[in-house]
Amino acid sequence: QVQLVESGGGSVQTGGSLSLSCIASGFQFGDYCVGWFRQAPGKEREVVATLGTGGGRTYYADSVQGRFTISQAGATINLQMDFLKPEDAGMYFCAAAHLPLKTLLLSRETRPPCGTGSGDYESWGQGTQVTVSS
């Protein structure tokens, strides 16, 4: 059973940094995409960044490109967030998606990028809150 546990949220001023972590268990790294999503009050959940585990590609939403970095260290998926803005505030969720067999049969270099819709991911953490004050 896949389990995802986020941590690292908190409150920071505009321009500050936070580092989120997601400890993943119950799956074979290399067979999954993982993603960080966020949801602000009254808004839809949106993708922030995705990563193909085991050395796959990364993707960043335009709004965070150049400021956020997603990475994997063992069983932990990290999201380093720098130069935070008030519009970055929200609940941040870690999510995992098992890749279909036809994708797993491809080399990591030729695999398509990870999905960016919340419906592409079947496992979710409980979320961690990020607050950015101006």
Side-chain angles (χ1 to χ4, degrees), residues 3-132:
Q3 289 191 320
L4 303 167
V5 180
E6 304 99 331
S7 63
S11 183
V12 67
Q13 290 188 328
T14 297
S17 297
L18 280 174
S19 182
L20 305 184
S21 295
C22 171
I23 298 177
S25 61
F27 65 78
Q28 180 71 35
F29 284 90
D31 292 351
Y32 279 76
C33 279
V34 291
W36 281 98
F37 290 74
R38 67 187 180 193
Q39 188 167 20
K43 293 189 177 181
E44 292 188 355
R45 191 169 297 188
E46 62 177 1
V47 67
V48 174
T50 67
L51 169 70
T53 59
R57 306 186 209 183
T58 57
Y59 162 88
Y60 297 94
D62 288 343
S63 59
V64 306
Q65 180 74 45
R67 299 188 297 120
F68 290 13
T69 304
I70 188 171
S71 63
Q72 178 189 348
T76 302
I77 309 301
N78 299 302
L79 184 69
Q80 177 64 37
M81 306 187 296
D82 298 316
F83 305 107
L84 282 161
K85 305 175 182 180
E87 52 264 42
D88 294 319
M91 186 70 78
Y92 280 68
F93 298 91
C94 179
H98 189 272
L99 297 173
L101 179 60
K102 62 180 180 179
T103 300
L104 293 174
L105 294 175
L106 301 173
S107 67
R108 289 197 177 91
E109 294 76 20
T110 60
R111 288 177 181 174
C114 294
T116 57
S118 57
D120 296 325
Y121 294 78
E122 69 271 8
S123 300
W124 293 83
Q126 81 288 350
T128 185
Q129 184 70 43
V130 171
T131 303
V132 184

